[in-house]
Amino acid sequence: MLSDVTTPQDLDDRLREALGALAPATRRADPAEPVRDGSPLTGAQLLELFDAQVTSRQLDLAARWLRSFGEGFYTIGSAGHEGNAAVAAALRPGDPALLHYRSGAFYCLRAAQAAGEVAFPPAAATTGDAVGGGEVGRGPDWPAAGGGEEGPGPDRPAVGGDAAGPGRDWPAAGGGEVGSGPDRPTVGGGGVGRGPDRPAAAGGRDAPDLAALAGSATVAEDPAGPAEGPAGLGNPAASGDPAALGGSLPGGEGAGPGGEGAGPGGEGTAARSRAAGGSASDGESTAAGVGPFGATVAGDGPEDAYARAARDVLRGVVASAREPIAGGRHKVFGHADLAVVPTTSTIASHLPRAVGMGLALERLRRRDPAARRAAARAGDDGATPRSPWPPDAIVVCSFGDASVNHASATAAFNTAGWYDHTGLRIPVLFVCEDNGLGISVRSPGGWVEATLRAKPGIRYFAADGTDAIGAYEAAVEAAGWVRRHRRPAVLHLTTVRLMGHAGADAETAYRSPGEIAADLARDPVLATARLLASAGVATGEELLARYDERGWQVRRIAEEVIGEPKLASAADVVAEIAPRRPARVARAVADAAARAGGPNAAARLAAFGGRPPESAGPLTLAQSINAALADGMLDHPGVVVFGEDVAAKGGVYGVTKGLRDRFGPARVFDTLLDETSILGLGLGAGLAGLLPVPEIQYLAYLHNAEDQLRGEAATMRFFSSGAFRNPLVVRVAGLAYQEGFGGHFHNDNSLAVLRDVPGLVIAVPARPDDAAPMLRTCLASAAVDGSVCVFLEPIALYHTRDLYADGDGEWLAGYAEPGAWSGAHVPVGRARVYGVGSAEDVTIITFGNGVRMSLRAAATLADEGVGTRVVDLRWIAPLPVADIVREASATGRVLIVDETRRSGGVGEGVIAALVDGGYVGAARRVAGVDSFVPLGPAARQVLVSEEAITQGARTLLGR
């Protein structure tokens, strides 16, 4: 046995030896009695924690085994962190959880809870106004938002499916003998008589009742799509009976985070095809399928929830397309039926989302009576947005000690504390699992505790994470406090890290043998076994047998998932990034128009003070956006508008003026000055069932927080196969050309950081009559498809009135009345074309401020006898490729006017689209200089001008 390293074999041997050597208690205890005096846990419940811990440990060993011969692709494990099973036990299965990557035991215990196979004393019951609709701790500008109805989310498909073995002679898990395949280390340790035909241990549990699933293993999809709710832009309505899939699901009947189709919040292609055990790629049925947790649907024998959780995790390890959440795209902990939201590997980046989820849960749970009256006046027919989780749910969010130092964590803690200081309730339980290491970098002694204790507005709890009973008691106290008071808290669990950071980490390079041995002595699985043995609940031999049986079962599952199909094409990989259903989006806009002009017409008229925007005369770009926001909020009660200065001030450019007065501070509110937190609030709110419209005050400020879009928002569908989504429309004031005001931060002209984010929609309206329909499209796309949209508003055009001459008013435009919305609909990815003169000589392709400059340049060229087509891209992502190629080919001469920078600018994408599309004519580019935008008149030296456009066209024409 190795004494100075913790290889998988060594860790397994040590634990098996220690389990077998545990001394029996003097008397046998009743498992139904408390495991020790004063403990809320019974012996049976502690045994369940042990089972979850053991399953997690065996998963880590199996992942290393799979990696040893190239069949596994992820080895960051949970060994040493298995105490987080106690945190799961202290929570309710409907509490949404965002878990870091050492959460194996939490996930396994949550699976058993959701299946009804284990039960723990409920966390402290919620009482009185601390949870109800009372006037508790409301901030000055945020009325409580009562409610509390559980939202009937969409039906969930059966998840996963057992697979046949890989068809090769792999060694048995525990006997040590090697089959005909390549040499592979054993996982289970010494001989306990395992064989290929030995049934898996079920842990003494009864098999789930299969009758509830008879004839209900798959979910039928309405080819026309789910019906859209009457009160929103494409607000999807669930169909079918959740009970047909095995009864009530965590978080409410069929509750899924606010969306459409076969999964909470989305129409997961891979998830649907995996229903009832089908393959994500070919629909092949398998030997044993598993429905929602707690319901085995077929096969040669039932698996308990721990085995099904193990199958989930191992499918992620081998990148199986049948993995129930990411579909083989990544190894994450997530499952819609378990209210476990997948998170990325970006350290701490999920914490701002957790704060947003807590804020939204409370906003949806409490409704201000005045806001309800305003909603009634605005035509809300009662179909209000609803949380997919129970009304008294709390959000749990786990992370490691090194993440405490990350800017995203600091932002989340600060935002939670800031809102708590104002009196706004955010029920979030942060869980810091502190093993003292960030890969090889040590957390200074006492630093993590000092840091967490110092967070204002966040209650601190702590426990030894290797002590299952102590950790459970502290977690119950912390979760109960958050649930009662609806306020944030942090639970600081000290843990150990066994087997290094990941499989390739040689921790002996930076840790001494004594330090490693000290961690081994605190092995949480062994610590729980000692508690069980000393209490007389089980003997060491019984616990060893339990460990070995689970090890055999996990090894068998590992062998089975090896042969499952992988994602086999680029189309499979990208299928869930950003599905587009333009017909449904158009229908959603038409339905909103019908409501605004029909049953909601009187309420709409009243909301606009008797003067709707279509009767207000020509509007500016800012006025048009303001009116479209108001119409969107009138039609969709889930729309919330927030950001810096958007409420009381109405925005620094007046774009949100009057919205708070019209819709109340619960739907239009100011935030603290932190873009990471603003976007995090939006991400959480969207996941919780709202349709958030956050504002980033200036484009340059977005760079402080771009990972919240790139790493979090845009990846949610990718990591969840569409089971979760975060609809979002981010308004950003940006681009250059402000007169008399500016400098870099207020005239930023760089979009490169957004253009390559997969699935992100980028809209740039230039004219008032485009701005309103494009905003309606973004809202509808977010509601229908869960799209993440950036709505980039050219600041310099906000209040522009004239086009060619002072006083001509030709940049203004009327606002369409509802009956014209459908006809004026602007689909995502469609350009607008202007013809000037004969429109036969040159094509100018541009966007934003370039549209106005190009139209003015085209007028000058027309005086010279040159006919011009001016193409306003309108959408930067996805680019209107077909329109670009068609309009460029119409003249054979194309000038690309790009107000962003020459390197990394939009023009590069346009040129590439022309080449890929087979364009063979002449092309030139006029673009901004690769420079930051300076202050004052010097800005003209680096930005595109009308003169440069005119001269570029003349050069193309040889003049």
Short mmCIF file of all heavy atoms in Angstrom, two decimals, residues 889-944:
data_model
loop_
_atom_site.label_atom_id
_atom_site.label_comp_id
_atom_site.label_asym_id
_atom_site.label_seq_id
_atom_site.Cartn_x
_atom_site.Cartn_y
_atom_site.Cartn_z
N SER A 889 -24.52 41.46 -54.77
CA SER A 889 -24.47 40.92 -56.14
C SER A 889 -25.30 41.77 -57.10
O SER A 889 -25.05 41.77 -58.31
CB SER A 889 -24.97 39.48 -56.14
OG SER A 889 -24.16 38.66 -55.32
N ALA A 890 -26.28 42.49 -56.58
CA ALA A 890 -27.15 43.29 -57.44
C ALA A 890 -26.38 44.40 -58.15
O ALA A 890 -26.75 44.82 -59.26
CB ALA A 890 -28.30 43.88 -56.62
N THR A 891 -25.30 44.90 -57.54
CA THR A 891 -24.52 45.97 -58.17
C THR A 891 -23.11 45.52 -58.54
O THR A 891 -22.48 46.14 -59.40
CB THR A 891 -24.40 47.18 -57.23
OG1 THR A 891 -23.66 46.80 -56.06
CG2 THR A 891 -25.77 47.69 -56.82
N GLY A 892 -22.62 44.49 -57.90
CA GLY A 892 -21.25 44.04 -58.16
C GLY A 892 -20.19 44.91 -57.55
O GLY A 892 -19.00 44.67 -57.73
N ARG A 893 -20.59 45.92 -56.80
CA ARG A 893 -19.65 46.78 -56.09
C ARG A 893 -20.20 47.00 -54.68
O ARG A 893 -21.31 47.50 -54.53
CB ARG A 893 -19.49 48.13 -56.79
CG ARG A 893 -19.00 48.08 -58.23
CD ARG A 893 -18.88 49.49 -58.79
NE ARG A 893 -18.62 49.48 -60.23
CZ ARG A 893 -19.59 49.51 -61.15
NH1 ARG A 893 -20.87 49.55 -60.77
NH2 ARG A 893 -19.27 49.51 -62.43
N VAL A 894 -19.40 46.62 -53.69
CA VAL A 894 -19.91 46.73 -52.33
C VAL A 894 -18.91 47.49 -51.45
O VAL A 894 -17.71 47.22 -51.47
CB VAL A 894 -20.22 45.34 -51.72
CG1 VAL A 894 -19.00 44.46 -51.67
CG2 VAL A 894 -20.83 45.47 -50.33
N LEU A 895 -19.43 48.45 -50.72
CA LEU A 895 -18.65 49.22 -49.76
C LEU A 895 -19.19 48.89 -48.37
O LEU A 895 -20.38 49.10 -48.09
CB LEU A 895 -18.77 50.71 -50.03
CG LEU A 895 -18.02 51.63 -49.04
CD1 LEU A 895 -16.51 51.43 -49.18
CD2 LEU A 895 -18.40 53.09 -49.26
N ILE A 896 -18.33 48.39 -47.52
CA ILE A 896 -18.73 48.04 -46.15
C ILE A 896 -18.34 49.18 -45.23
O ILE A 896 -17.16 49.54 -45.14
CB ILE A 896 -18.06 46.72 -45.72
CG1 ILE A 896 -18.49 45.59 -46.66
CG2 ILE A 896 -18.42 46.39 -44.28
CD1 ILE A 896 -17.56 44.41 -46.62
N VAL A 897 -19.32 49.78 -44.62
CA VAL A 897 -19.11 50.90 -43.71
C VAL A 897 -19.27 50.39 -42.28
O VAL A 897 -20.38 50.06 -41.85
CB VAL A 897 -20.09 52.05 -44.00
CG1 VAL A 897 -19.92 53.17 -42.98
CG2 VAL A 897 -19.88 52.57 -45.42
N ASP A 898 -18.17 50.31 -41.57
CA ASP A 898 -18.13 49.68 -40.26
C ASP A 898 -17.62 50.68 -39.23
O ASP A 898 -16.44 51.03 -39.22
CB ASP A 898 -17.21 48.45 -40.33
CG ASP A 898 -17.09 47.72 -38.99
OD1 ASP A 898 -17.80 48.09 -38.04
OD2 ASP A 898 -16.26 46.79 -38.92
N GLU A 899 -18.52 51.15 -38.37
CA GLU A 899 -18.11 52.14 -37.38
C GLU A 899 -17.31 51.52 -36.25
O GLU A 899 -16.76 52.24 -35.41
CB GLU A 899 -19.32 52.89 -36.83
CG GLU A 899 -20.30 52.03 -36.04
CD GLU A 899 -21.43 52.87 -35.46
OE1 GLU A 899 -21.15 53.68 -34.56
OE2 GLU A 899 -22.57 52.72 -35.93
N THR A 900 -17.25 50.18 -36.15
CA THR A 900 -16.39 49.57 -35.15
C THR A 900 -14.96 49.54 -35.69
O THR A 900 -14.66 50.07 -36.75
CB THR A 900 -16.87 48.16 -34.80
OG1 THR A 900 -16.82 47.31 -35.95
CG2 THR A 900 -18.31 48.21 -34.29
N ARG A 901 -14.07 48.88 -34.99
CA ARG A 901 -12.65 48.94 -35.36
C ARG A 901 -12.34 48.02 -36.53
O ARG A 901 -13.01 47.00 -36.73
CB ARG A 901 -11.80 48.57 -34.15
CG ARG A 901 -12.01 49.54 -33.00
CD ARG A 901 -11.40 49.06 -31.70
NE ARG A 901 -11.88 49.88 -30.58
CZ ARG A 901 -11.76 49.54 -29.30
NH1 ARG A 901 -11.18 48.40 -28.98
NH2 ARG A 901 -12.23 50.34 -28.37
N ARG A 902 -11.29 48.38 -37.26
CA ARG A 902 -10.92 47.59 -38.43
C ARG A 902 -10.56 46.17 -38.05
O ARG A 902 -10.91 45.22 -38.75
CB ARG A 902 -9.73 48.28 -39.14
CG ARG A 902 -9.22 47.53 -40.36
CD ARG A 902 -8.29 48.41 -41.17
NE ARG A 902 -9.00 49.52 -41.79
CZ ARG A 902 -9.63 49.43 -42.96
NH1 ARG A 902 -9.64 48.30 -43.64
NH2 ARG A 902 -10.25 50.49 -43.47
N SER A 903 -9.86 45.99 -36.94
CA SER A 903 -9.48 44.66 -36.49
C SER A 903 -10.56 44.14 -35.53
O SER A 903 -10.84 44.76 -34.50
CB SER A 903 -8.14 44.68 -35.76
OG SER A 903 -7.11 45.10 -36.63
N GLY A 904 -11.14 43.02 -35.89
CA GLY A 904 -12.18 42.45 -35.05
C GLY A 904 -13.54 43.09 -35.20
O GLY A 904 -14.46 42.81 -34.45
N GLY A 905 -13.68 43.98 -36.18
CA GLY A 905 -14.93 44.69 -36.36
C GLY A 905 -15.98 43.88 -37.11
O GLY A 905 -15.72 42.80 -37.64
N VAL A 906 -17.16 44.45 -37.18
CA VAL A 906 -18.28 43.80 -37.86
C VAL A 906 -17.97 43.58 -39.34
O VAL A 906 -18.37 42.58 -39.94
CB VAL A 906 -19.56 44.64 -37.69
CG1 VAL A 906 -20.71 44.05 -38.51
CG2 VAL A 906 -19.94 44.73 -36.21
N GLY A 907 -17.22 44.51 -39.94
CA GLY A 907 -16.91 44.41 -41.36
C GLY A 907 -16.19 43.13 -41.72
O GLY A 907 -16.36 42.61 -42.83
N GLU A 908 -15.39 42.61 -40.82
CA GLU A 908 -14.70 41.35 -41.10
C GLU A 908 -15.71 40.22 -41.33
O GLU A 908 -15.55 39.39 -42.23
CB GLU A 908 -13.77 40.98 -39.94
CG GLU A 908 -12.57 41.89 -39.83
CD GLU A 908 -11.64 41.48 -38.71
OE1 GLU A 908 -12.06 40.63 -37.87
OE2 GLU A 908 -10.51 41.97 -38.65
N GLY A 909 -16.76 40.20 -40.50
CA GLY A 909 -17.78 39.17 -40.67
C GLY A 909 -18.55 39.34 -41.97
O GLY A 909 -18.93 38.35 -42.62
N VAL A 910 -18.78 40.59 -42.38
CA VAL A 910 -19.49 40.84 -43.63
C VAL A 910 -18.65 40.37 -44.82
O VAL A 910 -19.16 39.72 -45.75
CB VAL A 910 -19.86 42.33 -43.76
CG1 VAL A 910 -20.50 42.60 -45.12
CG2 VAL A 910 -20.79 42.75 -42.64
N ILE A 911 -17.37 40.69 -44.80
CA ILE A 911 -16.48 40.24 -45.88
C ILE A 911 -16.48 38.71 -45.96
O ILE A 911 -16.56 38.12 -47.05
CB ILE A 911 -15.04 40.76 -45.64
CG1 ILE A 911 -14.99 42.27 -45.87
CG2 ILE A 911 -14.04 40.02 -46.52
CD1 ILE A 911 -15.03 42.67 -47.33
N ALA A 912 -16.36 38.05 -44.80
CA ALA A 912 -16.36 36.59 -44.78
C ALA A 912 -17.67 36.04 -45.34
O ALA A 912 -17.68 35.04 -46.08
CB ALA A 912 -16.13 36.09 -43.37
N ALA A 913 -18.79 36.68 -45.01
CA ALA A 913 -20.09 36.22 -45.51
C ALA A 913 -20.15 36.35 -47.03
O ALA A 913 -20.70 35.47 -47.72
CB ALA A 913 -21.22 37.01 -44.86
N LEU A 914 -19.60 37.42 -47.56
CA LEU A 914 -19.59 37.61 -49.01
C LEU A 914 -18.74 36.54 -49.70
O LEU A 914 -19.15 35.94 -50.71
CB LEU A 914 -19.05 38.99 -49.36
CG LEU A 914 -19.99 40.17 -49.05
CD1 LEU A 914 -19.25 41.49 -49.17
CD2 LEU A 914 -21.20 40.15 -49.99
N VAL A 915 -17.57 36.27 -49.14
CA VAL A 915 -16.70 35.25 -49.74
C VAL A 915 -17.35 33.88 -49.67
O VAL A 915 -17.40 33.14 -50.66
CB VAL A 915 -15.33 35.24 -49.03
CG1 VAL A 915 -14.48 34.07 -49.51
CG2 VAL A 915 -14.60 36.56 -49.26
N ASP A 916 -17.86 33.53 -48.50
CA ASP A 916 -18.51 32.22 -48.34
C ASP A 916 -19.74 32.10 -49.22
O ASP A 916 -20.09 30.99 -49.67
CB ASP A 916 -18.91 32.00 -46.87
CG ASP A 916 -17.71 31.83 -45.96
OD1 ASP A 916 -16.60 31.61 -46.48
OD2 ASP A 916 -17.88 31.93 -44.73
N GLY A 917 -20.41 33.24 -49.47
CA GLY A 917 -21.62 33.22 -50.28
C GLY A 917 -21.38 33.25 -51.77
O GLY A 917 -22.33 33.31 -52.56
N GLY A 918 -20.11 33.27 -52.18
CA GLY A 918 -19.78 33.22 -53.60
C GLY A 918 -19.80 34.55 -54.30
O GLY A 918 -19.80 34.61 -55.54
N TYR A 919 -19.78 35.65 -53.57
CA TYR A 919 -19.75 36.97 -54.21
C TYR A 919 -18.43 37.14 -54.96
O TYR A 919 -17.35 36.86 -54.43
CB TYR A 919 -19.92 38.05 -53.14
CG TYR A 919 -19.75 39.45 -53.66
CD1 TYR A 919 -20.72 40.03 -54.47
CD2 TYR A 919 -18.61 40.19 -53.35
CE1 TYR A 919 -20.55 41.33 -54.95
CE2 TYR A 919 -18.45 41.48 -53.81
CZ TYR A 919 -19.42 42.04 -54.62
OH TYR A 919 -19.27 43.32 -55.09
N VAL A 920 -18.50 37.64 -56.18
CA VAL A 920 -17.30 37.75 -57.01
C VAL A 920 -17.02 39.18 -57.48
O VAL A 920 -16.13 39.41 -58.29
CB VAL A 920 -17.40 36.83 -58.25
CG1 VAL A 920 -17.39 35.37 -57.83
CG2 VAL A 920 -18.63 37.16 -59.08
N GLY A 921 -17.79 40.14 -56.96
CA GLY A 921 -17.58 41.51 -57.40
C GLY A 921 -16.51 42.22 -56.61
O GLY A 921 -15.74 41.62 -55.85
N ALA A 922 -16.45 43.54 -56.77
CA ALA A 922 -15.48 44.38 -56.07
C ALA A 922 -15.98 44.70 -54.68
O ALA A 922 -17.18 44.81 -54.43
CB ALA A 922 -15.25 45.66 -56.87
N ALA A 923 -15.03 44.87 -53.75
CA ALA A 923 -15.42 45.17 -52.37
C ALA A 923 -14.35 46.04 -51.73
O ALA A 923 -13.15 45.87 -51.98
CB ALA A 923 -15.61 43.90 -51.57
N ARG A 924 -14.77 46.99 -50.93
CA ARG A 924 -13.89 47.83 -50.13
C ARG A 924 -14.50 47.97 -48.74
O ARG A 924 -15.69 47.72 -48.54
CB ARG A 924 -13.71 49.22 -50.75
CG ARG A 924 -12.83 49.25 -51.99
CD ARG A 924 -12.63 50.69 -52.46
NE ARG A 924 -11.93 51.48 -51.47
CZ ARG A 924 -10.59 51.54 -51.35
NH1 ARG A 924 -9.83 50.82 -52.15
NH2 ARG A 924 -10.03 52.32 -50.46
N ARG A 925 -13.65 48.42 -47.80
CA ARG A 925 -14.12 48.57 -46.44
C ARG A 925 -13.68 49.91 -45.89
O ARG A 925 -12.52 50.32 -46.06
CB ARG A 925 -13.55 47.43 -45.58
CG ARG A 925 -14.02 47.42 -44.13
CD ARG A 925 -13.83 46.04 -43.52
NE ARG A 925 -12.45 45.59 -43.58
CZ ARG A 925 -11.68 45.34 -42.50
NH1 ARG A 925 -12.19 45.50 -41.28
NH2 ARG A 925 -10.44 44.91 -42.65
N VAL A 926 -14.61 50.62 -45.25
CA VAL A 926 -14.31 51.82 -44.51
C VAL A 926 -14.63 51.51 -43.05
O VAL A 926 -15.76 51.15 -42.72
CB VAL A 926 -15.15 53.02 -44.99
CG1 VAL A 926 -14.87 54.25 -44.14
CG2 VAL A 926 -14.88 53.30 -46.45
N ALA A 927 -13.64 51.62 -42.17
CA ALA A 927 -13.84 51.21 -40.79
C ALA A 927 -13.13 52.15 -39.85
O ALA A 927 -12.26 52.95 -40.26
CB ALA A 927 -13.33 49.77 -40.58
N GLY A 928 -13.49 52.05 -38.56
CA GLY A 928 -12.82 52.84 -37.55
C GLY A 928 -11.38 52.40 -37.39
O GLY A 928 -11.00 51.26 -37.67
N VAL A 929 -10.56 53.32 -36.93
CA VAL A 929 -9.14 53.03 -36.67
C VAL A 929 -9.04 52.14 -35.43
O VAL A 929 -9.88 52.20 -34.53
CB VAL A 929 -8.36 54.34 -36.48
CG1 VAL A 929 -6.92 54.08 -36.07
CG2 VAL A 929 -8.43 55.17 -37.75
N ASP A 930 -8.01 51.29 -35.40
CA ASP A 930 -7.78 50.45 -34.23
C ASP A 930 -7.28 51.31 -33.08
O ASP A 930 -6.08 51.39 -32.79
CB ASP A 930 -6.76 49.35 -34.55
CG ASP A 930 -7.33 48.29 -35.46
OD1 ASP A 930 -8.57 48.21 -35.59
OD2 ASP A 930 -6.54 47.52 -36.05
N SER A 931 -8.22 51.98 -32.46
CA SER A 931 -7.87 52.92 -31.39
C SER A 931 -9.06 53.04 -30.44
O SER A 931 -10.21 52.79 -30.81
CB SER A 931 -7.56 54.30 -31.97
OG SER A 931 -7.48 55.28 -30.96
N PHE A 932 -8.78 53.41 -29.22
CA PHE A 932 -9.84 53.85 -28.34
C PHE A 932 -10.33 55.21 -28.82
O PHE A 932 -9.59 55.95 -29.49
CB PHE A 932 -9.36 53.93 -26.89
CG PHE A 932 -8.82 52.62 -26.38
CD1 PHE A 932 -7.46 52.44 -26.19
CD2 PHE A 932 -9.67 51.57 -26.10
CE1 PHE A 932 -6.95 51.24 -25.73
CE2 PHE A 932 -9.17 50.36 -25.64
CZ PHE A 932 -7.82 50.19 -25.46
N VAL A 933 -11.54 55.56 -28.49
CA VAL A 933 -12.11 56.83 -28.96
C VAL A 933 -11.66 57.95 -28.02
O VAL A 933 -11.96 57.92 -26.82
CB VAL A 933 -13.64 56.75 -29.02
CG1 VAL A 933 -14.22 58.09 -29.48
CG2 VAL A 933 -14.08 55.63 -29.95
N PRO A 934 -10.93 58.94 -28.54
CA PRO A 934 -10.45 60.03 -27.67
C PRO A 934 -11.54 61.06 -27.40
O PRO A 934 -12.63 61.02 -27.97
CB PRO A 934 -9.31 60.63 -28.49
CG PRO A 934 -9.73 60.41 -29.91
CD PRO A 934 -10.47 59.09 -29.92
N LEU A 935 -11.21 61.99 -26.55
CA LEU A 935 -12.14 63.04 -26.15
C LEU A 935 -12.14 64.19 -27.17
O LEU A 935 -11.11 64.51 -27.75
CB LEU A 935 -11.73 63.56 -24.78
CG LEU A 935 -12.66 64.57 -24.10
CD1 LEU A 935 -13.99 63.91 -23.73
CD2 LEU A 935 -12.01 65.13 -22.83
N GLY A 936 -13.31 64.77 -27.37
CA GLY A 936 -13.41 65.98 -28.15
C GLY A 936 -13.22 65.78 -29.65
O GLY A 936 -13.43 64.69 -30.18
N PRO A 937 -12.78 66.84 -30.34
CA PRO A 937 -12.66 66.78 -31.80
C PRO A 937 -11.71 65.70 -32.30
O PRO A 937 -11.81 65.26 -33.45
CB PRO A 937 -12.16 68.18 -32.17
CG PRO A 937 -12.56 69.05 -31.02
CD PRO A 937 -12.50 68.18 -29.81
N ALA A 938 -10.78 65.25 -31.46
CA ALA A 938 -9.84 64.22 -31.90
C ALA A 938 -10.54 62.93 -32.27
O ALA A 938 -10.00 62.12 -33.04
CB ALA A 938 -8.82 63.95 -30.79
N ALA A 939 -11.75 62.73 -31.77
CA ALA A 939 -12.50 61.51 -32.10
C ALA A 939 -12.71 61.39 -33.60
O ALA A 939 -12.77 60.27 -34.14
CB ALA A 939 -13.84 61.50 -31.37
N ARG A 940 -12.81 62.52 -34.30
CA ARG A 940 -13.07 62.48 -35.74
C ARG A 940 -11.91 61.85 -36.51
O ARG A 940 -12.10 61.40 -37.63
CB ARG A 940 -13.32 63.90 -36.26
CG ARG A 940 -14.51 64.58 -35.63
CD ARG A 940 -14.59 66.04 -36.02
NE ARG A 940 -15.58 66.76 -35.22
CZ ARG A 940 -15.52 68.06 -34.98
NH1 ARG A 940 -14.53 68.79 -35.49
NH2 ARG A 940 -16.46 68.66 -34.26
N GLN A 941 -10.76 61.81 -35.88
CA GLN A 941 -9.60 61.26 -36.56
C GLN A 941 -9.61 59.74 -36.61
O GLN A 941 -8.90 59.14 -37.42
CB GLN A 941 -8.30 61.73 -35.87
CG GLN A 941 -8.20 63.22 -35.69
CD GLN A 941 -8.35 63.97 -37.01
OE1 GLN A 941 -7.75 63.58 -38.02
NE2 GLN A 941 -9.14 65.06 -37.00
N VAL A 942 -10.39 59.10 -35.75
CA VAL A 942 -10.37 57.63 -35.68
C VAL A 942 -11.72 57.00 -36.04
O VAL A 942 -11.82 55.78 -36.11
CB VAL A 942 -9.94 57.16 -34.27
CG1 VAL A 942 -8.53 57.63 -33.96
CG2 VAL A 942 -10.92 57.60 -33.20
N LEU A 943 -12.73 57.83 -36.26
CA LEU A 943 -14.06 57.31 -36.58
C LEU A 943 -14.38 57.50 -38.06
O LEU A 943 -13.82 58.36 -38.73
CB LEU A 943 -15.12 58.02 -35.73
CG LEU A 943 -15.03 57.83 -34.21
CD1 LEU A 943 -16.08 58.68 -33.51
CD2 LEU A 943 -15.17 56.36 -33.83
N VAL A 944 -15.29 56.67 -38.55
CA VAL A 944 -15.74 56.77 -39.94
C VAL A 944 -16.50 58.09 -40.13
O VAL A 944 -17.27 58.51 -39.26
CB VAL A 944 -16.64 55.58 -40.29
CG1 VAL A 944 -17.27 55.75 -41.68
CG2 VAL A 944 -15.85 54.28 -40.22
#
